[in-house]
Amino acid sequence: MKSAHQFLSILFLVVSFSIYAQEENQSDFTIAFGSCNKHTVANLLWDDILNTKPDVWIWGGDIVYADTDDMTKLKKLYDAQNAVNGYQELKATVPVIGTWDDHDYGLNDGGVAFKAKKESQQVFLDFMGVAKDSPRREQEGVYAVHDYTLEEGTIKVLVLDTRYFRTELTKDTATRKRFQPNAYGEGTILGATQWKWLEDQLKNSTADFNIIVSSIQVFSNEHGYETWGNFPHEVDKLERLLVDSNAKGVILLSGDRHISEFSKKVVNGLSYPVIDFTSSGLTHSSTNFSGEPNPFRVGEVVTSKSFGTLAFDFKNKQVVFKIIGNDSAVLGELKQGY
């Protein structure tokens, strides 16, 4: 027979564990996101994504691998993705938003010069279920804003288009890298109209958190592939905007790279560091990854298939970022206060 002391000890452990579990699972709103998805390859992560009970799923680009200016072919690939059982279950349970990257845009590393971009935009909007009379059907580019209002607080998701207006890249002929940064001030990623839209959205935002979705990485800038770092003046412009707008809790989400990682940068004038959370490789990833410099990296690079989650705690003004793999394995985690 257990003594009173033993009983109280057990009760204390049970209560302590219960409180701990509640703290660990505290989330007023959960975002799940990912990129680089081939419908012809089994995606083992859809059930794991659903297990996180997300409030929204965000595509970070490369939803399908089309690389085509044939809209009939592109539509067939989107239709095939829509027919995937796991994705059907996700769509039936969770709202889906997002952007494209180069392969679903239609041209590898493609930008402003892609000749079928207007037609491709309409097929993309069809896939995303955007109404035929939506203003997004008339604008150039797939950028969009989504607002989420809860009793605890508000979240604004700003989905960028880093393809439609992006000017030419500079090939690297001196090293084995694919690209090198443009001359400072040369070229643009977002184009004048989208920049003005982003400025208006951030300067007028009253949201507790402002999530900016970019298909390509913003901070990691030394790998030689596509990155905002190929347009260094655009990175500076974005950072100035974040400071001038006084937007609260800005977080960057990115994809493209077939790896997942956290980048963290202290921006002068901001009271919080900016996280660029890269989640890339839903169906295929860089398993032969041998390393690359990233002066802003926090933690380790994840090279296995994964997706990302953001769990928002409004009371404590905290976000828990997780990189999650098959069987709900947590492959990376970062907590940040705001």
Side-chain angles (χ1 to χ4, degrees):
M1 185 174 181
K2 293 182 174 65
S3 68
H5 177 74
Q6 289 175 313
F7 177 79
L8 289 174
S9 297
I10 293 171
L11 180 62
F12 174 78
L13 288 172
V14 170
V15 171
S16 297
F17 178 79
S18 176
I19 293 172
Y20 173 78
Q22 288 176 9
E23 290 176 347
E24 283 294 292
N25 295 325
Q26 175 65 41
S27 178
D28 299 312
F29 192 88
T30 299
I31 289 174
F33 79 107
S35 61
C36 301
N37 175 79
K38 291 183 177 180
H39 76 278
T40 55
V41 178
N43 186 336
L44 302 178
L45 299 175
W46 293 125
D47 61 331
D48 301 296
I49 293 168
L50 281 167
N51 284 341
T52 68
K53 296 180 171 54
D55 293 284
V56 63
W57 167 259
I58 302 178
W59 282 113
D62 290 339
I63 300 167
V64 296
Y65 279 67
D67 297 294
T68 183
D69 57 7
D70 182 337
M71 295 302 105
T72 300
K73 177 182 177 182
L74 179 59
K75 183 180 183 303
K76 286 181 178 179
L77 290 175
Y78 279 130
D79 288 346
Q81 174 56 39
N82 265 328
V84 173
N85 289 335
Y87 183 56
Q88 285 185 339
E89 186 176 356
L90 179 75
K91 286 202 308 173
T93 309
V94 179
V96 174
I97 63 174
T99 191
W100 56 17
D101 198 35
D102 52 346
H103 297 293
D104 39 3
Y105 180 58
L107 179 66
N108 186 35
D109 296 334
V112 67
F114 180 50
K115 64 182 181 179
K117 61 183 182 180
K118 290 185 178 180
E119 294 81 3
S120 182
Q121 174 174 330
Q122 297 305 314
V123 179
F124 171 84
L125 295 177
D126 288 343
F127 171 77
M128 297 298 295
V130 175
K132 292 294 186 181
D133 60 351
S134 168
R136 293 181 67 189
R137 296 284 184 171
E138 302 299 323
Q139 74 175 32
E140 291 189 296
V142 302
Y143 59 92
V145 58
H146 304 272
D147 292 300
Y148 301 93
T149 302
L150 300 84
E151 290 184 5
E152 299 83 358
T154 55
I155 295 174
K156 181 182 290 291
V157 178
L158 297 163
V159 178
L160 300 182
D161 186 332
T162 64
R163 292 293 161 191
Y164 202 98
F165 306 98
R166 199 222 68 215
T167 52
E168 290 302 307
L169 300 165
T170 300
K171 292 184 177 180
D172 190 332
T173 57
T175 73
R176 298 182 65 180
K177 294 180 179 179
R178 186 178 297 179
F179 303 112
Q180 66 182 35
N182 287 3
Y184 195 90
E186 180 180 305
T188 182
I189 294 177
L190 300 185
T193 300
Q194 187 177 188
W195 264 118
K196 180 63 167 59
W197 170 83
L198 180 60
E199 178 181 341
D200 290 343
Q201 288 291 335
L202 287 175
K203 287 187 174 181
N204 293 304
S205 176
T206 59
D208 296 289
F209 294 97
N210 292 273
I211 315 304
I212 299 177
V213 182
S214 166
S215 66
I216 58 173
Q217 290 184 305
V218 179
F219 290 150
S220 182
N221 56 10
E222 297 182 18
H223 46 66
Y225 297 102
E226 289 203 80
T227 168
W228 278 63
N230 291 327
F231 300 79
H233 53 287
E234 295 275 83
V235 178
D236 290 347
K237 184 175 182 177
L238 177 62
E239 292 179 2
R240 287 196 301 271
L241 175 56
L242 299 187
V243 174
D244 294 344
S245 68
N246 291 314
K248 293 182 288 185
V250 174
I251 297 167
L252 310 175
L253 305 183
S254 56
D256 176 59
R257 294 296 322 287
H258 302 172
I259 60 172
S260 294
E261 64 176 343
F262 304 117
S263 299
K264 182 176 182 178
K265 187 173 184 180
V266 174
V267 176
N268 290 334
L270 284 184
S271 61
Y272 56 88
V274 181
I275 306 298
D276 179 0
F277 182 3
T278 302
S279 180
S280 177
L282 287 169
T283 59
H284 55 295
S285 57
S286 295
T287 53
N288 60 348
F289 181 83
S290 59
E292 66 187 30
N294 176 1
F296 307 105
R297 181 180 297 131
V298 177
E300 301 297 324
V301 172
V302 172
T303 59
S304 54
K305 302 176 186 69
S306 62
F307 65 97
T309 62
L310 293 78
F312 294 84
D313 179 347
F314 287 96
K315 180 180 178 181
N316 296 307
K317 296 183 179 179
Q318 178 178 268
V319 179
V320 178
F321 305 85
K322 290 183 180 180
I323 301 169
I324 301 176
N326 193 28
D327 294 329
S328 298
V330 177
L331 308 176
E333 182 173 349
L334 177 67
K335 295 181 181 179
Q336 180 62 53
Y338 293 88

